[in-house]
Amino acid sequence: ETGVTQTPRHLVMGMTNKKSLKCEQHLGHNAMYWYKQSAKKPLELMFVYNFKEQTENNSVPSRFSPECPNSSHLFLHLHTLQPEDSALYLCASSQKEGDSYEQYFGPGTRLTVT
Amino acid sequence: AQSVAQPEDQVNVAEGNPLTVKCTYSVSGNPYLFWYVQYPNRGLQFLLKYITGDNLVKGSYGFEAEFNKSQTSFHLKKPSALVSDSALYFCAVRDLAGSYQLTFGKGTKLSVIP
C-alpha cells in the first residue's frame, strides 16, 4: 500500500477555508485519478490525468480544483466547500488510462467540512 | 452506458465456509471486470480482473471469480472464509465499447463470523 500515498489522512475545514490534498505515486504510472467515496454510494470519479493532461472532469463543482505537475504527483485544491462535500477522497494511479490496467489506490483523506 | 450492481449490502458467512459476493454488470460491448477490497481506514486493493480467456479468474488471498457472459455476472468466491476476509468488496466494470472510466458498484460488506 505504500505505492500510493496521500496526505493528510484526516482534514477538518470550515466552509471558508482553503486547503489542498496531496497524492504521490511511486509506481511509475502515467495516469492518476481522484475519487470521492461517500457512505452507501458507489465511488464517484472526479478527475483523471493521463500523462499529466486532464482527460476527465465528471461535472465536478469548481470549488474542487485539481493539479498534476508531473506523473507522480496529484493535488486537489479545495475552497469554499459545503458540508455535503464531507467524504473520503481517494487517489489512484494506473499504468495508463483505460484498457485492462488495474488502478492502485492510496489510503484516502477523510475530509470533514464544518 | 455501463453499470454494475451488487445486490447484497451485507453478506455474513461462518469461518471455514465458502463465500460468494455477487456482481452483475451491464455494458454495450465487451467488459473488463475487476474486484477490489477495502479494509477499514484503507484505500481499495486490487484483487483480480477478467480481461479475456478463461472464465475462472484466480486472484490474491485465495479469491477467485467466474465470468458468466450469458448471466452478465462476475461473482467473487472463496472456498474457505477467514475472519481476516471481513471487509468491503467492490466490483467494477469498464465497457470496451464505451468510456475509459471504471464504474464501481456500491460495495458489499462481508462479515466472517468466527
Side-chain angles (χ1 to χ4, degrees):
Chain A
E1 196 171 308
T2 54
V4 181
T5 57
Q6 290 186 244
T7 55
R9 294 292 307 272
H10 300 272
L11 178 62
V12 179
M13 59 186 288
M15 289 190 284
T16 58
N17 291 159
K18 288 185 181 181
K19 296 286 184 183
S20 295
L21 310 185
K22 179 182 176 182
C23 175
E24 183 173 1
Q25 59 96 359
H26 311 272
L27 300 169
H29 289 164
N30 293 299
M32 295 188 78
Y33 311 77
W34 279 117
Y35 287 90
K36 177 182 179 183
Q37 184 178 24
S38 305
K40 305 285 175 85
K41 293 176 69 175
L43 263 69
E44 300 172 50
L45 179 65
M46 301 174 71
F47 302 103
V48 181
Y49 280 82
N50 198 34
F51 293 92
K52 300 189 296 178
E53 297 296 320
Q54 185 174 317
T55 56
E56 296 283 351
N57 175 342
N58 274 3
S59 304
V60 180
S62 59
R63 56 186 184 269
F64 295 91
S65 173
E67 179 190 359
C68 187
N70 55 61
S71 291
S72 298
H73 294 86
L74 185 64
F75 295 89
L76 187 63
H77 304 300
L78 316 171
H79 63 98
T80 60
L81 294 190
Q82 305 298 310
E84 61 264 29
D85 297 322
S86 298
L88 183 68
Y89 288 85
L90 293 166
C91 173
S93 70
S94 66
Q95 192 170 340
K96 283 195 308 185
E97 183 183 9
D99 203 54
S100 65
Y101 302 111
E102 60 270 23
Q103 295 177 14
Y104 291 83
F105 286 79
T109 295
R110 173 70 62 187
L111 174 67
T112 304
V113 181
T114 61
Chain B
Q2 60 196 46
S3 65
V4 62
Q6 293 181 245
E8 301 154 319
D9 288 339
Q10 174 136 7
V11 170
N12 297 321
V13 63
E15 186 178 21
N17 282 4
L19 69 88
T20 299
V21 183
K22 295 180 180 177
C23 171
T24 58
Y25 66 89
S26 174
V27 295
S28 53
N30 288 318
Y32 285 158
L33 292 154
F34 303 79
W35 274 103
Y36 289 83
V37 60
Q38 185 178 31
Y39 297 100
N41 301 314
R42 306 275 286 273
L44 278 68
Q45 292 180 35
F46 169 73
L47 274 180
L48 50 81
K49 65 182 177 183
Y50 171 81
I51 304 301
T52 187
D54 194 347
N55 289 345
L56 185 64
V57 179
K58 293 189 184 298
S60 306
Y61 312 119
F63 284 94
E64 58 188 30
E66 185 165 13
F67 171 64
N68 187 318
K69 188 170 184 178
S70 62
Q71 296 185 6
T72 60
S73 68
F74 189 56
H75 300 331
L76 181 70
K77 299 182 180 185
K78 188 174 182 181
S80 178
L82 300 173
V83 173
S84 57
D85 293 329
S86 299
L88 194 54
Y89 290 81
F90 291 92
C91 182
V93 67
R94 176 179 293 124
D95 185 350
L96 297 188
S99 109
Y100 278 146
Q101 293 185 21
L102 264 187
T103 297
F104 286 84
K106 286 198 272 189
T108 298
K109 182 178 179 182
L110 173 69
S111 293
V112 180
I113 302 156

